[in-house]
Protein backbone atom coordinates (compact mmCIF):
# COMPACT_ATOMS: atom_id res chain seq x y z
CA UNK A 1 0.00 0.00 0.00
CA UNK A 2 1.17 3.51 -0.85
CA UNK A 3 1.00 4.79 2.68
CA UNK A 4 4.40 6.42 2.24
CA UNK A 5 5.31 8.72 -0.60
CA UNK A 6 8.64 10.17 -1.71
CA UNK A 7 8.44 13.85 -2.45
CA UNK A 8 10.75 16.58 -3.69
CA UNK A 9 9.75 19.99 -2.43
CA UNK A 10 11.42 23.38 -2.40
CA UNK A 11 10.94 25.12 0.93
CA UNK A 12 12.20 28.69 1.23
CA UNK A 13 14.52 28.11 -1.69
CA UNK A 14 16.00 24.87 -0.40
CA UNK A 15 15.24 21.57 -2.12
CA UNK A 16 14.23 18.69 0.17
CA UNK A 17 13.81 15.05 -0.77
CA UNK A 18 11.70 13.41 1.87
CA UNK A 19 9.59 10.33 2.51
CA UNK A 20 6.24 11.28 4.03
CA UNK A 21 3.33 9.35 5.46
CA UNK A 22 0.23 9.74 3.24
CA UNK A 23 -1.90 10.99 6.13
CA UNK A 24 0.57 13.65 7.33
CA UNK A 25 -0.60 17.17 6.62
CA UNK A 26 1.75 19.82 5.30
CA UNK A 27 1.94 21.76 8.60
CA UNK A 28 3.10 18.70 10.55
CA UNK A 29 5.57 17.89 7.79
CA UNK A 30 7.11 21.38 7.95
CA UNK A 31 7.25 21.42 11.74
CA UNK A 32 8.17 17.84 12.61
CA UNK A 33 10.09 16.63 9.60
CA UNK A 34 11.85 19.84 8.52
CA UNK A 35 11.96 21.50 11.95
CA UNK A 36 10.40 24.70 10.59
CA UNK A 37 8.29 25.56 13.62
CA UNK A 38 7.44 29.09 12.49
CA UNK A 39 4.29 27.69 10.89
CA UNK A 40 1.89 27.36 13.81
CA UNK A 41 -0.90 24.86 14.30
CA UNK A 42 -4.07 25.87 16.08
CA UNK A 43 -7.22 24.02 15.12
CA UNK A 44 -6.13 21.54 12.44
CA UNK A 45 -9.52 21.93 10.80
CA UNK A 46 -9.06 24.95 8.58
CA UNK A 47 -10.67 27.53 10.82
CA UNK A 48 -7.92 29.50 12.58
CA UNK A 49 -5.44 30.21 9.76
CA UNK A 50 -2.36 29.90 12.02
CA UNK A 51 -0.86 27.40 9.60
CA UNK A 52 -1.07 29.62 6.50
CA UNK A 53 1.87 29.21 4.10
CA UNK A 54 2.41 30.00 0.45
CA UNK A 55 2.35 27.13 -2.04
CA UNK A 56 3.37 28.25 -5.52
CA UNK A 57 2.71 31.79 -4.38
CA UNK A 58 -0.81 31.21 -3.06
CA UNK A 59 -1.86 31.51 0.56
CA UNK A 60 -3.26 28.19 1.78
CA UNK A 61 -3.92 26.53 5.13
CA UNK A 62 -1.24 23.89 5.47
CA UNK A 63 -3.34 21.72 7.81
CA UNK A 64 -5.73 21.25 4.89
CA UNK A 65 -3.12 20.00 2.47
CA UNK A 66 -1.26 16.70 2.58
CA UNK A 67 2.53 16.67 2.68
CA UNK A 68 2.30 14.32 -0.32
CA UNK A 69 0.62 17.11 -2.28
CA UNK A 70 3.70 19.31 -1.89
CA UNK A 71 5.64 17.14 -4.34
CA UNK A 72 7.10 19.47 -6.97
CA UNK A 73 5.84 22.58 -5.23
CA UNK A 74 7.53 25.80 -4.16
CA UNK A 75 6.72 26.47 -0.51
CA UNK A 76 7.30 29.66 1.46
CA UNK A 77 6.96 29.83 5.22
CA UNK A 78 7.40 32.67 7.69
CA UNK A 79 11.06 31.68 8.04
CA UNK A 80 11.61 33.03 4.51
CA UNK A 81 10.83 36.64 5.46
CA UNK A 82 13.66 37.91 7.67
CA UNK A 83 17.21 37.85 6.35
CA UNK A 84 19.59 37.17 9.23
CA UNK A 85 18.47 39.64 11.89
CA UNK A 86 16.87 42.03 9.43
CA UNK A 87 13.08 42.02 9.41
CA UNK A 88 11.35 42.15 6.08
CA UNK A 89 9.31 45.36 5.48
CA UNK A 90 6.01 43.66 6.36
CA UNK A 91 7.43 42.32 9.61
CA UNK A 92 8.82 45.78 10.34
CA UNK A 93 5.35 47.25 9.75
CA UNK A 94 3.89 44.75 12.25
CA UNK A 95 6.51 45.85 14.75
CA UNK A 96 6.00 49.56 14.13
CA UNK A 97 2.20 49.34 14.37
CA UNK A 98 2.15 47.03 17.41
CA UNK A 99 0.29 44.44 15.36
CA UNK A 100 1.06 41.57 17.71
CA UNK A 101 0.79 40.72 21.35
CA UNK A 102 1.36 37.01 22.06
CA UNK A 103 2.43 36.53 18.44
CA UNK A 104 0.90 33.10 17.97
CA UNK A 105 -1.21 34.26 15.02
CA UNK A 106 1.51 36.41 13.46
CA UNK A 107 2.98 33.87 11.00
CA UNK A 108 -0.52 33.31 9.57
CA UNK A 109 -1.11 37.03 9.06
CA UNK A 110 2.37 37.62 7.67
CA UNK A 111 2.04 34.93 5.03
CA UNK A 112 -1.52 35.90 4.05
CA UNK A 113 -0.42 39.53 3.72
CA UNK A 114 2.74 38.57 1.85
CA UNK A 115 0.64 36.98 -0.92
CA UNK A 116 -1.65 39.99 -0.89
CA UNK A 117 1.20 42.51 -1.18
CA UNK A 118 2.56 40.72 -4.25
CA UNK A 119 -0.60 41.67 -6.12
CA UNK A 120 0.71 45.22 -5.80
CA UNK A 121 -2.71 46.77 -5.14
CA UNK A 122 -3.70 49.34 -2.57
CA UNK A 123 -6.77 48.20 -0.65
CA UNK A 124 -9.27 49.88 1.61
CA UNK A 125 -9.49 48.79 5.23
CA UNK A 126 -12.68 46.78 4.61
CA UNK A 127 -11.06 44.93 1.75
CA UNK A 128 -8.00 44.24 3.87
CA UNK A 129 -10.21 42.80 6.60
CA UNK A 130 -11.88 40.59 3.98
CA UNK A 131 -8.55 39.32 2.72
CA UNK A 132 -7.28 38.62 6.23
CA UNK A 133 -10.52 37.04 7.48
CA UNK A 134 -9.04 33.54 7.28
CA UNK A 135 -6.67 34.19 10.19
CA UNK A 136 -7.91 34.65 13.74
CA UNK A 137 -6.27 36.70 16.47
CA UNK A 138 -7.37 36.43 20.08
CA UNK A 139 -5.25 39.29 21.41
CA UNK A 140 -5.08 42.42 19.33
CA UNK A 141 -8.64 43.18 18.23
CA UNK A 142 -7.27 43.32 14.66
CA UNK A 143 -7.09 47.13 14.31
CA UNK A 144 -3.32 47.30 14.52
CA UNK A 145 -2.94 44.34 12.18
CA UNK A 146 -5.07 46.15 9.60
CA UNK A 147 -2.93 49.30 10.18
CA UNK A 148 0.27 47.38 9.54
CA UNK A 149 -1.02 45.69 6.40
CA UNK A 150 -2.52 48.92 5.10
CA UNK A 151 0.78 50.77 5.50
CA UNK A 152 2.70 47.94 3.96
CA UNK A 153 0.39 47.71 0.92
CA UNK A 154 0.61 51.48 0.44
CA UNK A 155 4.40 51.40 0.67
CA UNK A 156 4.61 48.46 -1.74
CA UNK A 157 2.32 50.14 -4.28
CA UNK A 158 4.32 53.37 -4.00
CA UNK A 159 7.63 51.58 -4.46
CA UNK A 160 6.22 49.92 -7.59
CA UNK A 161 4.99 53.22 -8.99
CA UNK A 162 8.45 54.72 -8.46
CA UNK A 163 9.76 51.81 -10.54
CA UNK B 1 -6.96 15.66 14.77
CA UNK B 2 -4.85 13.19 12.83
CA UNK B 3 -6.33 11.19 10.00
CA UNK B 4 -6.29 7.39 10.08
CA UNK B 5 -3.92 5.79 7.56
CA UNK B 6 -4.93 5.62 3.93
CA UNK B 7 -3.34 4.99 0.58
CA UNK B 8 -2.50 8.06 -1.54
CA UNK B 9 -3.16 7.75 -5.26
CA UNK B 10 -2.25 10.46 -7.73
CA UNK B 11 -3.68 9.67 -11.16
CA UNK B 12 -2.25 11.37 -14.25
CA UNK B 13 -5.49 11.17 -16.25
CA UNK B 14 -9.22 11.14 -15.56
CA UNK B 15 -9.35 7.54 -16.81
CA UNK B 16 -6.74 6.53 -14.24
CA UNK B 17 -8.73 8.29 -11.54
CA UNK B 18 -11.91 6.42 -12.53
CA UNK B 19 -10.01 3.13 -12.54
CA UNK B 20 -8.61 3.82 -9.06
CA UNK B 21 -12.08 4.62 -7.72
CA UNK B 22 -13.39 1.38 -9.20
CA UNK B 23 -10.47 -0.69 -7.90
CA UNK B 24 -11.17 0.49 -4.36
CA UNK B 25 -14.75 -0.80 -4.52
CA UNK B 26 -16.36 2.36 -3.19
CA UNK B 27 -13.92 2.71 -0.27
CA UNK B 28 -11.81 5.47 -1.85
CA UNK B 29 -12.56 9.18 -1.76
CA UNK B 30 -11.75 11.86 -4.27
CA UNK B 31 -9.42 14.58 -2.94
CA UNK B 32 -10.11 17.91 -4.62
CA UNK B 33 -9.50 21.14 -2.66
CA UNK B 34 -9.48 19.22 0.61
CA UNK B 35 -11.26 22.06 2.39
CA UNK B 36 -14.01 19.76 3.65
CA UNK B 37 -12.43 16.35 3.22
CA UNK B 38 -9.28 16.92 5.29
CA UNK B 39 -11.17 18.27 8.34
CA UNK B 40 -13.52 15.27 8.11
CA UNK B 41 -10.56 12.87 7.97
CA UNK B 42 -8.88 14.63 10.90
CA UNK B 43 -12.03 14.31 12.97
CA UNK B 44 -12.23 10.68 11.83
CA UNK B 45 -15.73 11.16 10.55
CA UNK B 46 -14.67 8.84 7.74
CA UNK B 47 -11.89 6.34 7.08
CA UNK B 48 -11.47 5.82 3.35
CA UNK B 49 -9.04 3.14 2.21
CA UNK B 50 -7.52 5.58 -0.29
CA UNK B 51 -7.58 9.17 -1.45
CA UNK B 52 -7.57 9.73 -5.18
CA UNK B 53 -5.95 13.15 -5.58
CA UNK B 54 -7.36 14.82 -8.70
CA UNK B 55 -5.28 17.99 -8.35
CA UNK B 56 -3.00 16.86 -11.17
CA UNK B 57 -5.93 16.82 -13.60
CA UNK B 58 -6.38 20.56 -14.13
CA UNK B 59 -5.89 20.09 -17.89
CA UNK B 60 -8.99 17.89 -18.10
CA UNK B 61 -11.04 19.18 -15.16
CA UNK B 62 -9.86 22.73 -14.48
CA UNK B 63 -11.26 24.72 -17.38
CA UNK B 64 -14.09 27.18 -17.85
CA UNK B 65 -15.46 27.07 -21.40
CA UNK B 66 -18.09 29.05 -23.26
CA UNK B 67 -19.85 26.69 -25.69
CA UNK B 68 -22.60 28.51 -27.52
CA UNK B 69 -25.17 29.58 -24.97
CA UNK B 70 -23.79 27.06 -22.48
CA UNK B 71 -20.98 27.60 -19.99
CA UNK B 72 -19.10 24.52 -18.83
CA UNK B 73 -17.18 24.71 -15.56
CA UNK B 74 -14.78 21.84 -14.85
CA UNK B 75 -15.08 20.08 -11.49
CA UNK B 76 -11.60 21.21 -10.42
CA UNK B 77 -12.22 24.91 -11.07
CA UNK B 78 -11.38 26.67 -7.81
CA UNK B 79 -13.44 29.36 -6.12
CA UNK B 80 -10.62 31.87 -6.68
CA UNK B 81 -10.73 31.18 -10.42
CA UNK B 82 -14.49 31.74 -10.51
CA UNK B 83 -13.96 34.99 -8.58
CA UNK B 84 -11.66 36.40 -11.26
CA UNK B 85 -12.86 34.72 -14.47
CA UNK B 86 -14.02 37.15 -17.19
CA UNK B 87 -16.14 34.38 -18.78
CA UNK B 88 -18.00 33.82 -15.50
CA UNK B 89 -18.36 37.53 -14.95
CA UNK B 90 -19.98 37.96 -18.35
CA UNK B 91 -22.11 34.82 -18.48
CA UNK B 92 -22.77 33.78 -14.88
CA UNK B 93 -22.60 36.91 -12.73
CA UNK B 94 -24.64 35.26 -9.95
CA UNK B 95 -22.06 32.48 -9.59
CA UNK B 96 -19.28 35.03 -9.33
CA UNK B 97 -21.17 37.16 -6.84
CA UNK B 98 -22.01 34.19 -4.62
CA UNK B 99 -18.42 32.95 -4.36
CA UNK B 100 -17.36 35.84 -2.17
CA UNK B 101 -19.65 34.53 0.56
CA UNK B 102 -17.73 31.27 0.76
CA UNK B 103 -14.96 30.77 3.29
CA UNK B 104 -11.93 33.03 3.28
CA UNK B 105 -9.04 33.78 0.93
CA UNK B 106 -7.17 30.57 1.75
CA UNK B 107 -10.29 28.40 1.41
CA UNK B 108 -11.17 30.06 -1.90
CA UNK B 109 -7.64 29.46 -3.20
CA UNK B 110 -8.16 25.69 -2.81
CA UNK B 111 -11.88 24.80 -2.74
CA UNK B 112 -13.44 23.59 -6.00
CA UNK B 113 -16.92 23.70 -7.47
CA UNK B 114 -16.97 19.90 -7.82
CA UNK B 115 -15.95 19.40 -4.20
CA UNK B 116 -18.55 21.88 -3.00
CA UNK B 117 -21.33 20.06 -4.86
CA UNK B 118 -20.18 16.57 -3.84
CA UNK B 119 -19.98 17.77 -0.23
CA UNK B 120 -23.71 18.69 -0.50
CA UNK B 121 -23.65 21.01 2.48
CA UNK B 122 -27.27 22.09 3.17
CA UNK B 123 -26.02 25.68 3.38
CA UNK B 124 -23.64 25.46 0.40
CA UNK B 125 -23.61 28.58 -1.77
CA UNK B 126 -22.38 26.77 -4.90
CA UNK B 127 -25.24 24.30 -4.58
CA UNK B 128 -27.75 27.12 -4.38
CA UNK B 129 -26.28 28.87 -7.42
CA UNK B 130 -26.42 25.62 -9.42
CA UNK B 131 -30.08 25.11 -8.45
CA UNK B 132 -31.32 28.55 -9.45
CA UNK B 133 -29.15 28.64 -12.58
CA UNK B 134 -30.64 25.27 -13.62
CA UNK B 135 -27.22 23.64 -13.95
CA UNK B 136 -26.56 20.07 -15.05
CA UNK B 137 -23.96 18.06 -13.19
CA UNK B 138 -21.87 15.66 -15.26
CA UNK B 139 -20.60 12.53 -13.53
CA UNK B 140 -18.43 9.77 -14.96
CA UNK B 141 -17.39 6.19 -14.17
CA UNK B 142 -15.35 3.69 -16.17
CA UNK B 143 -18.70 2.66 -17.68
CA UNK B 144 -19.61 6.08 -19.03
CA UNK B 145 -21.08 9.45 -18.27
CA UNK B 146 -24.44 10.68 -17.01
CA UNK B 147 -26.09 14.09 -16.68
CA UNK B 148 -27.81 14.94 -13.41
CA UNK B 149 -30.00 18.06 -13.16
CA UNK B 150 -28.98 20.07 -10.08
CA UNK B 151 -32.57 19.78 -8.82
CA UNK B 152 -32.12 15.96 -8.59
CA UNK B 153 -28.55 15.96 -7.32
CA UNK B 154 -28.90 16.57 -3.58
CA UNK B 155 -30.18 13.56 -1.65
CA UNK B 156 -30.10 14.68 1.97
CA UNK B 157 -27.85 16.20 4.59
CA UNK B 158 -24.31 16.11 3.16
CA UNK B 159 -25.49 13.49 0.65
CA UNK B 160 -25.70 13.56 -3.12
CA UNK B 161 -26.82 10.96 -5.64
CA UNK B 162 -23.20 10.37 -6.73
CA UNK B 163 -22.06 6.76 -6.42
CA UNK B 164 -18.78 6.24 -4.54
CA UNK B 165 -16.93 5.26 -7.71
CA UNK B 166 -18.37 8.17 -9.66
CA UNK B 167 -16.32 11.29 -10.45
CA UNK B 168 -18.00 14.63 -10.86
CA UNK B 169 -16.28 16.02 -13.95
CA UNK B 170 -18.09 19.23 -14.87
CA UNK B 171 -21.06 21.51 -14.32
CA UNK B 172 -22.96 22.80 -17.35
CA UNK B 173 -24.86 26.05 -17.07
CA UNK B 174 -27.48 27.12 -19.62
CA UNK B 175 -27.89 30.78 -20.53
CA UNK B 176 -28.45 32.61 -17.25
CA UNK B 177 -31.67 34.51 -16.57
CA UNK B 178 -31.34 38.30 -16.95
CA UNK B 179 -32.07 39.04 -13.31
CA UNK B 180 -30.57 37.30 -10.30
CA UNK B 181 -30.39 38.17 -6.64
CA UNK B 182 -28.76 36.59 -3.64
CA UNK B 183 -29.01 37.13 0.08
CA UNK B 184 -27.34 35.37 2.96
CA UNK B 185 -27.69 35.67 6.71
CA UNK B 186 -24.78 34.18 8.64
CA UNK B 187 -23.42 34.52 12.13
CA UNK B 188 -20.42 36.20 10.60
CA UNK B 189 -19.16 36.89 7.11
CA UNK B 190 -17.29 33.90 5.58
CA UNK B 191 -19.04 31.46 7.87
CA UNK B 192 -21.58 28.90 6.74
CA UNK B 193 -25.00 30.50 6.20
CA UNK B 194 -27.93 30.35 8.60
CA UNK B 195 -30.21 31.13 5.69
CA UNK B 196 -29.45 31.79 2.05
CA UNK B 197 -31.87 32.74 -0.71
CA UNK B 198 -31.27 33.11 -4.43
CA UNK B 199 -33.83 34.13 -7.05
CA UNK B 200 -33.54 34.25 -10.82
CA UNK B 201 -35.95 35.19 -13.59
CA UNK B 202 -36.15 36.91 -16.97
CA UNK B 203 -38.46 39.61 -18.15
CA UNK B 204 -40.73 38.55 -21.03
CA UNK B 205 -43.41 40.35 -23.04
CA UNK B 206 -45.39 43.08 -21.23
CA UNK B 207 -43.23 42.82 -18.16
CA UNK B 208 -44.23 39.23 -17.39
CA UNK B 209 -41.64 37.19 -15.52
CA UNK B 210 -40.43 33.91 -16.98
CA UNK B 211 -38.18 31.07 -15.87
CA UNK B 212 -38.65 31.99 -12.23
CA UNK B 213 -36.53 30.00 -9.80
CA UNK B 214 -36.22 30.48 -6.05
CA UNK B 215 -33.54 28.57 -4.15
CA UNK B 216 -33.28 28.20 -0.38
CA UNK B 217 -30.26 27.11 1.68
CA UNK B 218 -30.07 26.22 5.36
CA UNK B 219 -33.78 25.56 5.81
CA UNK B 220 -33.94 21.84 5.14
CA UNK B 221 -31.58 18.85 5.04
CA UNK B 222 -30.46 19.98 1.57
CA UNK B 223 -30.48 23.11 -0.55
CA UNK B 224 -33.66 23.14 -2.63
CA UNK B 225 -35.98 25.00 -4.97
CA UNK B 226 -39.23 26.52 -3.72
CA UNK B 227 -41.20 25.28 -6.71
CA UNK B 228 -44.73 26.23 -5.65
CA UNK B 229 -43.59 29.77 -4.89
CA UNK B 230 -41.90 30.06 -8.28
CA UNK B 231 -44.96 28.65 -10.06
CA UNK B 232 -47.13 31.34 -8.46
CA UNK B 233 -44.89 33.98 -10.04
CA UNK B 234 -44.37 32.41 -13.45
CA UNK B 235 -45.76 34.21 -16.49
CA UNK B 236 -47.16 37.11 -14.47
CA UNK B 237 -46.36 40.67 -13.57
CA UNK B 238 -45.73 41.05 -9.86
CA UNK B 239 -47.40 43.35 -7.39
CA UNK B 240 -47.12 43.26 -3.61
CA UNK B 241 -49.93 40.73 -3.31
CA UNK B 242 -48.33 38.25 -5.77
CA UNK B 243 -45.01 38.61 -4.02
CA UNK B 244 -46.52 38.11 -0.55
CA UNK B 245 -48.37 35.02 -1.74
CA UNK B 246 -45.16 33.56 -3.21
CA UNK B 247 -43.21 34.29 -0.03
CA UNK B 248 -45.85 32.40 1.97
CA UNK B 249 -45.71 29.47 -0.49
CA UNK B 250 -41.94 29.27 -0.06
CA UNK B 251 -42.61 27.98 3.47
CA UNK B 252 -43.95 24.72 1.95
CA UNK B 253 -40.43 23.36 1.44
CA UNK B 254 -39.06 24.60 4.77
CA UNK B 255 -38.28 22.03 7.45
CA UNK B 256 -35.61 23.99 9.25
CA UNK B 257 -32.90 22.37 11.37
CA UNK B 258 -32.00 23.38 14.92
CA UNK B 259 -28.23 23.51 15.19
CA UNK B 260 -25.33 25.40 16.69
CA UNK B 261 -25.73 28.24 14.22
CA UNK B 262 -29.45 28.98 14.68
CA UNK B 263 -32.75 27.61 15.91
CA UNK B 264 -35.43 26.34 13.54
CA UNK B 265 -37.89 29.06 14.57
CA UNK B 266 -35.42 31.82 13.69
CA UNK B 267 -34.69 30.30 10.30
CA UNK B 268 -38.42 29.95 9.58
CA UNK B 269 -38.96 33.54 10.60
CA UNK B 270 -36.33 34.72 8.13
CA UNK B 271 -37.55 32.84 5.04
CA UNK B 272 -40.63 34.83 3.95
CA UNK B 273 -39.00 38.14 4.89
CA UNK B 274 -36.01 37.62 2.66
CA UNK B 275 -37.84 35.89 -0.19
CA UNK B 276 -40.15 38.90 -0.28
CA UNK B 277 -37.24 41.34 -0.17
CA UNK B 278 -35.36 39.72 -3.02
CA UNK B 279 -38.46 39.48 -5.20
CA UNK B 280 -39.23 43.16 -4.61
CA UNK B 281 -35.65 44.06 -5.54
CA UNK B 282 -35.96 42.00 -8.68
CA UNK B 283 -39.28 43.61 -9.57
CA UNK B 284 -37.69 47.03 -9.07
CA UNK B 285 -35.35 46.03 -11.80
CA UNK B 286 -31.81 46.53 -10.60
CA UNK B 287 -29.63 43.93 -12.18
CA UNK B 288 -26.99 41.90 -10.55
C1 LIG C 1 -12.81 27.83 7.19
C2 LIG C 1 -13.75 27.26 6.17
C3 LIG C 1 -14.87 27.98 5.81
C4 LIG C 1 -15.76 27.49 4.87
N1 LIG C 1 -16.86 28.23 4.56
C5 LIG C 1 -17.73 27.76 3.64
C6 LIG C 1 -18.88 28.51 3.27
O1 LIG C 1 -19.12 29.63 3.77
N2 LIG C 1 -19.73 27.97 2.35
C7 LIG C 1 -19.49 26.75 1.77
O2 LIG C 1 -20.28 26.32 0.94
N3 LIG C 1 -18.41 26.03 2.09
C8 LIG C 1 -17.53 26.49 3.00
N4 LIG C 1 -16.43 25.73 3.32
C9 LIG C 1 -16.23 24.42 2.67
C10 LIG C 1 -15.55 24.61 1.33
O3 LIG C 1 -16.44 25.28 0.47
C11 LIG C 1 -15.08 23.34 0.66
O4 LIG C 1 -14.07 23.72 -0.21
C12 LIG C 1 -16.04 22.61 -0.22
O5 LIG C 1 -17.15 22.30 0.53
C13 LIG C 1 -15.42 21.33 -0.74
O6 LIG C 1 -14.65 21.55 -1.90
P1 LIG C 1 -13.19 20.93 -2.01
O7 LIG C 1 -12.77 21.11 -3.41
O8 LIG C 1 -12.33 21.49 -0.96
O9 LIG C 1 -13.50 19.38 -1.80
P2 LIG C 1 -12.82 18.29 -0.86
O10 LIG C 1 -12.74 18.75 0.53
O11 LIG C 1 -11.59 17.80 -1.50
O12 LIG C 1 -13.94 17.16 -0.99
C14 LIG C 1 -15.20 17.29 -0.38
C15 LIG C 1 -16.03 16.02 -0.68
O13 LIG C 1 -16.36 15.95 -2.06
C16 LIG C 1 -15.79 14.80 -2.67
N5 LIG C 1 -15.34 15.23 -3.99
C17 LIG C 1 -14.54 16.31 -4.25
N6 LIG C 1 -14.39 16.47 -5.59
C18 LIG C 1 -15.11 15.47 -6.18
C19 LIG C 1 -15.34 15.11 -7.53
N7 LIG C 1 -14.84 15.83 -8.56
N8 LIG C 1 -16.11 14.02 -7.77
C20 LIG C 1 -16.64 13.31 -6.75
N9 LIG C 1 -16.46 13.60 -5.45
C21 LIG C 1 -15.70 14.68 -5.16
C22 LIG C 1 -14.70 14.35 -1.74
O14 LIG C 1 -14.44 12.99 -1.87
C23 LIG C 1 -15.27 14.72 -0.39
O15 LIG C 1 -16.18 13.76 0.03
C24 LIG C 1 -15.51 26.22 4.26
C25 LIG C 1 -14.37 25.49 4.60
C26 LIG C 1 -13.48 25.99 5.55
C27 LIG C 1 -12.27 25.20 5.90
S1 LIG D 1 -4.28 24.96 12.16
FE1 LIG D 1 -4.70 25.15 10.06
S2 LIG D 1 -6.34 26.53 10.05
FE2 LIG D 1 -6.10 26.16 12.16
S1 LIG E 1 -1.33 38.29 18.94
FE1 LIG E 1 -2.07 36.72 20.21
S2 LIG E 1 -3.40 35.65 18.89
FE2 LIG E 1 -2.87 37.35 17.70
Amino acid sequence: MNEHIDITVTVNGEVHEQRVEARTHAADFLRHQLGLTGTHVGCEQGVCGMCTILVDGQAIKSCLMLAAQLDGAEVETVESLAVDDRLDPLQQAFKDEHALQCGFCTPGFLMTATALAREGRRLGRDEIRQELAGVLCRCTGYDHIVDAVEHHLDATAEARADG
Amino acid sequence: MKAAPFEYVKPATVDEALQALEDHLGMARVLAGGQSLLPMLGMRLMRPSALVDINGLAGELGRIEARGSETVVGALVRYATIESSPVVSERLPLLQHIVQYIGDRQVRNRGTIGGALAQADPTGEMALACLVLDATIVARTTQGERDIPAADFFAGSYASVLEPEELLVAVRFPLAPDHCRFFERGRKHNDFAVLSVAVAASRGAEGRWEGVRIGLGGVNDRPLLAEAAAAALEGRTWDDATIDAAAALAMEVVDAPDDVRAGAAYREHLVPIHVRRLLRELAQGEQR
Side-chain angles (χ1 to χ4, degrees):
Chain A
M1 224 160 99
N2 266 352
E3 282 179 15
H4 290 85
I5 299 101
D6 293 319
I7 63 169
T8 305
V9 54
T10 308
V11 180
N12 303 333
E14 199 180 315
V15 179
H16 297 267
E17 287 182 11
Q18 294 277 325
R19 169 157 294 193
V20 298
E21 218 187 328
R23 64 183 183 138
T24 300
H25 59 64
D28 275 354
F29 165 72
L30 291 169
R31 292 174 56 83
H32 301 164
Q33 234 165 300
L34 300 189
L36 295 170
T37 54
T39 300
H40 290 171
V41 170
C43 66
E44 289 190 283
Q45 47 182 292
V47 178
C48 72
M50 300 302 105
C51 64
T52 302
I53 60 170
L54 306 191
V55 175
D56 296 328
Q58 281 199 316
I60 62 104
K61 293 172 180 170
S62 58
C63 70
L64 296 189
M65 210 164 159
L66 298 174
Q69 295 184 285
L70 296 179
D71 187 33
E74 189 89 41
V75 172
E76 293 165 81
T77 70
V78 71
E79 284 92 348
S80 68
L81 298 184
V83 180
D84 299 326
D85 281 342
R86 245 176 330 109
L87 297 182
D88 114 315
L90 175 64
Q91 291 173 311
Q92 188 62 47
F94 267 62
K95 185 171 179 228
D96 294 343
E97 301 295 339
H98 305 284
L100 58 141
Q101 288 177 28
C102 79
F104 191 72
C105 65
T106 312
F109 281 108
L110 289 173
M111 296 320 288
T112 309
T114 294
L116 190 58
R118 284 193 194 150
E119 293 174 21
R121 292 183 295 147
R122 273 201 164 89
L123 295 180
R125 293 180 70 84
D126 283 349
E127 290 171 299
I128 292 174
R129 282 180 185 273
Q130 275 306 311
E131 291 294 325
L132 299 180
V135 192
L136 301 182
C137 174
R138 296 288 85 147
C139 301
T140 63
Y142 301 100
D143 273 345
H144 292 272
I145 295 173
V146 177
D147 290 343
V149 174
E150 188 181 25
H151 289 173
H152 180 66
L153 292 183
D154 289 351
T156 313
E158 235 162 74
R160 282 205 179 191
D162 295 343
Chain B
M1 294 301 299
K2 307 295 178 194
F6 51 78
E7 186 181 343
Y8 175 79
V9 183
K10 181 132 194 229
T13 63
V14 167
D15 286 341
E16 275 181 38
L18 297 175
Q19 194 57 52
L21 289 170
E22 187 177 290
D23 292 347
H24 282 271
L25 307 169
M27 297 299 290
R29 285 280 175 160
V30 175
L31 172 61
Q35 303 301 293
S36 295
L37 184 56
L38 292 194
M40 290 190 298
L41 293 181
M43 290 183 250
R44 304 218 174 174
L45 294 172
M46 53 169 76
R47 282 177 185 238
S49 63
L51 293 195
V52 178
D53 183 357
I54 61 170
N55 284 281
L57 308 180
E60 285 178 90
L61 302 178
R63 281 208 282 261
I64 301 175
E65 284 173 66
R67 287 192 204 149
S69 63
E70 217 173 54
T71 312
V72 184
V73 181
L76 197 65
V77 170
R78 300 187 198 274
Y79 296 133
T81 309
I82 293 174
E83 256 180 299
S84 63
S85 156
V87 176
V88 176
S89 139
E90 189 193 316
R91 300 169 73 108
L92 302 167
L94 177 70
L95 193 69
Q96 193 161 59
H97 174 71
I98 257 181
V99 162
Q100 44 176 329
Y101 293 86
I102 302 175
D104 46 56
R105 170 54 48 222
Q106 296 93 312
V107 170
R108 293 197 296 275
N109 279 345
R110 293 296 297 166
T112 67
I113 187 170
L117 295 176
Q119 181 67 14
D121 188 311
T123 69
E125 285 88 353
M126 276 296 109
L128 198 65
C130 290
L131 281 171
V132 296
L133 294 174
D134 199 15
T136 300
I137 290 150
V138 186
R140 204 183 289 171
T141 63
T142 53
Q143 309 302 310
E145 208 169 81
R146 63 169 174 151
D147 286 351
I148 309 162
D152 300 334
F153 183 79
F154 303 102
S157 188
Y158 298 96
S160 78
V161 300
L162 283 182
E163 301 294 336
E165 62 282 348
E166 222 168 8
L167 183 71
L168 199 166
V169 290
V171 187
R172 299 206 323 255
F173 293 90
L175 192 67
D178 303 335
H179 301 272
C180 296
R181 286 265 158 189
F182 173 74
F183 170 83
E184 165 168 322
R185 166 76 66 229
R187 289 172 63 92
K188 62 184 186 72
H189 191 89
N190 304 112
D191 197 1
F192 294 91
V194 165
L195 165 79
S196 52
V197 187
V199 297
S202 295
R203 214 84 207 252
E206 293 160 27
R208 292 176 204 284
W209 290 94
E210 291 165 358
V212 184
R213 295 171 86 87
I214 302 173
L216 297 174
V219 298
N220 207 314
D221 65 348
R222 70 198 85 174
L224 38 68
L225 290 171
E227 288 176 357
L233 296 164
E234 184 69 28
R236 310 180 58 166
T237 58
W238 303 347
D239 57 18
D240 283 353
T242 3
I243 287 177
D244 288 351
L249 281 171
M251 291 306 288
E252 277 186 9
V253 295
V254 173
D255 180 10
D258 260 315
D259 64 23
V260 290
R261 293 201 186 86
Y266 177 58
R267 290 183 148 103
E268 282 164 13
H269 167 75
L270 292 176
V271 174
I273 297 174
H274 291 291
V275 170
R276 204 181 297 127
R277 251 180 223 171
L278 286 194
L279 290 171
R280 287 225 176 98
E281 280 178 33
L282 213 65
Q284 282 157 13
E286 298 138 87
Q287 210 172 323
R288 183 176 286 167

